[in-house]
Amino acid sequence: MPSVFSMIFNRELPGHFVWEDEDCAAILSINPTQTGHALVVPRAEIDHWLDVPQELAAHLMVVAQKVGAAQMTAFEPPRVGLVIAGHEVPHTHLHVIPMFGIVDLSFANAQASVPPQELARAAELLRAHLQPD
């Protein structure tokens, strides 16, 4: 069975995309710890991040940096954090999180639900600040 991320990539489930290329996509988390919390996800269903081929891992990091730079401009946090957890969905994904404090990296503080229109606004703002290649 495809992962939830593959279902989003295939448009079987809704997703708020901020980046897409042939190897990965960045979508907003539906349970963000902070507005603009994005997930950088490889299209290949690779469960554990240690199993991601090095070339793809490097690409995911480059995309995470681009998303993080856009978050800095769009949401003006003092920092952007990066977390690779991997317990909730068996498909590697990097959490790129605008940080106003260390608590923003705690998934215990994740919002249970966010109105779709709020996610759409955050995605639009992020896309507007992403620098093209």
Side-chain angles (χ1 to χ4, degrees), residues 19 61-71 129-133:
W19 175 276
M61 184 60 71
V62 167
V63 172
Q65 286 181 315
K66 290 178 186 239
V67 170
Q71 289 170 331
H129 287 91
L130 272 166
Q131 297 299 314
D133 287 334

Side-chain angles (χ1 to χ4, degrees), residues 13-14 19 29-30 32 36 39 41 61 76 80 88 92 100 110 117:
L13 292 174
W19 175 276
S29 174
I30 60 169
L39 308 173
V41 187
M61 184 60 71
E76 300 181 347
V80 171
E88 58 284 347
T92 296
F100 292 87
Q117 61 272 25

Side-chain angles (χ1 to χ4, degrees), residues 23-44:
D23 296 316
C24 72
I27 57 176
L28 290 188
S29 174
I30 60 169
N31 303 114
T33 61
Q34 190 56 253
T35 300
H37 177 165
L39 308 173
V40 177
V41 187
R43 291 189 183 278

Side-chain angles (χ1 to χ4, degrees), residues 8-21:
I8 292 169
F9 294 159
N10 294 330
R11 306 320 200 250
E12 296 165 14
L13 292 174
H16 295 277
F17 289 82
V18 297
W19 175 276
E20 281 192 272
D21 63 33

Side-chain angles (χ1 to χ4, degrees), residues 29 31-35 37 97-98 103-111:
S29 174
N31 303 114
T33 61
Q34 190 56 253
T35 300
H37 177 165
I97 306 170
V103 298
D104 293 326
L105 295 182
S106 173
F107 297 119
N109 297 322
Q111 297 177 51

